[in-house]
Amino acid sequence: MPTSDGPQPWGPSMEPPPEMLYAPTGEPLDGVRRTAILDWTVNQYISLGWRVESRSPTQAVLVRGGDVNHVLHAILTIFTCLLWGIVWIVLALGNKKERVALTVDPYGYLQTVHGPG
């Protein structure tokens, strides 16, 4: 097993797709290759904890994070005589949702746009 001095990121590194997915320089890609590039990239994001929110053959929107279940936390707060309220407040303030849109252009270049949470 290789060792390293620095900290290792969780999950696989975001490497470019295999070269076989690309057409010769300057030629547009067919739809199958564009979809394969997007599939490969989406799989990389999924392995890092992202979820697919919407998908088309050449574009995908992924999201990470989620909403707090306020009804459940309200019930837990009532049954624990307000002690669970501390946990609820921490979760509500620390809750963060991230979105990213991935688009593959006709030449196989991946465009990434980070959107509002």
Side-chain angles (χ1 to χ4, degrees):
M1 176 179 272
T3 60
S4 142
D5 295 333
Q8 297 296 315
W10 182 80
S13 62
M14 297 295 287
E15 299 174 5
E19 293 298 321
M20 66 183 173
L21 296 178
Y22 293 103
T25 307
E27 294 181 20
L29 297 177
D30 59 355
V32 174
R33 286 187 178 177
R34 289 174 67 189
T35 302
I37 292 170
L38 185 63
D39 287 341
W40 191 90
T41 306
V42 166
N43 285 334
Q44 294 295 309
Y45 272 88
I46 288 173
S47 70
L48 296 173
W50 293 78
R51 298 181 314 273
V52 177
E53 189 172 59
S54 67
R55 173 73 198 263
S56 73
T58 59
Q59 183 179 31
V61 177
L62 297 107
V63 64
R64 180 168 55 181
D67 296 325
V68 175
N69 187 343
H70 293 290
V71 174
L72 173 65
H73 289 289
I75 292 169
L76 290 172
T77 301
I78 291 169
F79 283 126
T80 61
C81 299
L82 304 177
L83 290 176
W84 191 259
I86 297 169
V87 175
W88 186 10
I89 290 170
V90 169
L91 288 174
L93 293 176
N95 186 32
K96 181 177 157 188
K97 195 182 262 191
E98 299 175 80
R99 277 194 177 80
V100 64
L102 305 172
T103 305
V104 180
D105 71 5
Y107 295 98
Y109 295 107
L110 184 72
Q111 298 172 354
T112 305
V113 177
H114 294 275

